[in-house]
Amino acid sequence: MMFDIPIVGDYKDNPLPSPEEYTYWCARKNRTFYIDYEIDEDYSLIELSKIIIEMNMEEKDIPKEDLKPIYIWIHSFGGDSNQERFISDLLISSRIPIITISMGVAMSAGFLIFLAGHKRYAFPHSKLLVHAGYAGFEGTASEMEEFNKNYKKQIAEMKEYVLERTEIDEKTFNKFKNKDWYLTAEELVKYKIVDKLITNIDEIF
């Protein structure tokens, strides 16, 4: 059996790709990627960013209106804010249109990455959560002072980002900023967090 996608490994000993390899190459061929993990300091998002950069470089001479979107499906409970920040900046700056879809959960840092999509979709029962995070830290008085200063700066930057990318007003954001705000389907539409709630995957493509 022949495949029109790259196959990693020895063709003679193992002519078929592993399920993971097959899924990866099929997804890449279809310009589809998944953030279905906790966002931490490993290299998962770095590898995704490399691919997006390479695709932008390869397609820099294609007229913008002829570019095919990149689809990023998100199912993440969140994680490291520094990792979220660099990938969100990259997605926003991409010349190739980025479409983000909430598969089930997009919480905390996962929610902020979701907001970086040029177009955004979610299923009606997706769980999206925005919150300010938790500031637990121990150290000397000067260390704690510096930590609190940086933490407040991060919160201010996150607030500015959310307000820029949605129609959530400052009063509403401040009302929920110290809580875990689980957004309802109605709120997702009302505050333009999503372009559309979908019940059929065909609505995305």
Side-chain angles (χ1 to χ4, degrees):
M1 182 177 180
M2 298 297 293
F3 291 86
D4 59 351
I5 55 175
I7 297 175
V8 178
D10 191 320
Y11 285 90
K12 294 180 181 178
D13 296 336
N14 182 22
L16 297 177
S18 70
E20 293 79 11
E21 291 166 350
Y22 182 79
T23 298
Y24 172 81
W25 287 110
C26 279
R28 182 158 180 178
K29 178 183 176 183
N30 293 322
R31 307 170 74 86
T32 300
F33 303 94
Y34 300 92
I35 299 177
D36 55 353
Y37 42 79
E38 183 176 355
I39 297 157
D40 55 28
E41 295 181 355
D42 66 8
Y43 287 95
S44 299
L45 289 179
I46 291 290
E47 292 306 314
L48 175 58
S49 70
K50 290 177 183 178
I51 294 169
I52 293 172
I53 291 168
E54 288 169 3
M55 292 175 72
N56 273 272
M57 292 173 64
E58 290 170 0
E59 300 177 13
K60 64 183 177 64
D61 295 325
I62 298 176
K64 197 165 185 179
E65 61 273 17
D66 295 333
L67 288 168
K68 296 179 180 179
I70 293 171
Y71 300 89
I72 299 180
W73 296 74
I74 299 173
H75 185 91
S76 177
F77 289 91
D80 186 83
S81 61
N82 292 321
Q83 301 298 308
E84 169 275 315
R85 193 72 297 225
F86 91 78
I87 193 70
S88 294
D89 284 344
L90 176 64
L91 298 183
I92 291 170
S93 68
S94 172
R95 183 170 178 269
I96 299 173
I98 302 291
I99 294 177
T100 53
I101 309 103
S102 173
M103 291 168 58
V105 294
M107 300 185 178
S108 189
F111 172 74
L112 298 178
I113 295 173
F114 173 79
L115 287 186
H118 301 163
K119 286 190 176 181
R120 307 185 291 260
Y121 299 94
F123 294 102
H125 297 103
S126 295
K127 301 296 181 186
L128 283 80
L129 165 71
V130 56
H131 73 115
Y134 302 99
F137 179 78
E138 294 182 1
T140 65
S142 60
E143 288 173 339
M144 291 188 69
E145 182 180 356
E146 188 64 23
F147 174 83
N148 286 331
K149 185 189 300 183
N150 290 331
Y151 177 74
K152 289 178 180 178
K153 181 181 178 181
Q154 286 183 348
I155 297 305
E157 289 175 349
M158 187 269 282
K159 173 182 175 179
E160 181 181 5
Y161 172 73
V162 172
L163 298 187
E164 284 179 353
R165 303 293 295 173
T166 71
E167 291 189 5
I168 297 174
D169 59 89
E170 187 171 6
K171 181 179 179 180
T172 301
F173 182 92
N174 290 337
K175 176 182 176 182
F176 290 99
K177 71 177 182 179
N178 295 320
K179 304 176 183 179
D180 284 346
W181 182 10
Y182 288 90
L183 294 149
T184 65
E186 291 76 14
E187 288 172 329
L188 294 177
V189 175
K190 175 182 177 181
Y191 296 117
K192 299 294 190 293
I193 295 163
V194 299
D195 288 273
K196 189 177 183 181
L197 290 173
I198 58 170
T199 56
N200 190 319
I201 290 178
D202 289 344
E203 297 176 66
I204 301 172
F205 304 107

